[in-house]
Amino acid sequence: MNSTTQESPVISAVIPAYNESQGIKEAITHIAGILSACESAWEIIVVDDGSRDQTYQQICQLSEADPRIKGIALSRNFGKEAAMLAGLEFATGEAVIILDADLQHPPSFILK
């Protein structure tokens, strides 16, 4: 599969994030690597829940490098549930996986 083709994603990963500038790039890169091993089209949707740090700017940088990575910026902190819902509404994959930005739930389970 060519990663530059614009296929409809089979897997959508939704990541709610709040003030995660210290680790968001690493988390997204790690999750993208695992999704790439799935051999299915995928997208990552990171929902910035009104962060006061550089979380959204980092998401935008990653999105410019890989259009499968998408960012949503909420106008203020609405809470994790609202951020998850925004990501679910935006997701286009046949299956959606919600992951924490701090990698609390090991992304390696995606392969299973």
Side-chain angles (χ1 to χ4, degrees):
M1 171 183 317
N2 185 343
S3 63
T4 60
T5 60
Q6 295 292 6
E7 298 180 54
S8 295
V10 174
I11 301 170
S12 296
V14 173
I15 306 169
Y18 179 70
N19 290 340
E20 295 286 347
S21 66
Q22 294 293 323
I24 195 67
K25 283 185 178 183
E26 180 181 335
I28 294 170
T29 301
H30 184 65
I31 293 166
I34 290 171
L35 289 170
S36 293
C38 291
E39 299 182 8
S40 296
W42 55 267
E43 68 182 352
I44 296 174
I45 300 162
V46 188
V47 182
D48 179 47
D49 190 20
S51 296
R52 295 175 177 237
D53 61 7
Q54 297 298 308
T55 298
Y56 189 67
Q57 289 80 0
Q58 292 181 27
I59 296 164
C60 290
Q61 289 173 355
L62 291 169
S63 180
E64 288 176 15
D66 188 337
R68 297 173 294 179
I69 299 169
K70 301 164 182 154
I72 299 171
L74 301 183
S75 61
R76 65 172 178 84
N77 181 253
F78 288 93
K80 184 177 180 180
E81 291 77 15
M84 288 188 307
L85 182 59
L88 289 170
E89 289 177 357
F90 192 78
T92 60
E94 294 175 26
V96 180
I97 301 165
I98 299 173
L99 297 155
D100 287 339
D102 63 4
L103 301 178
Q104 178 179 332
H105 303 106
S108 58
F109 287 143
I110 293 170
L111 295 172
K112 295 179 182 180

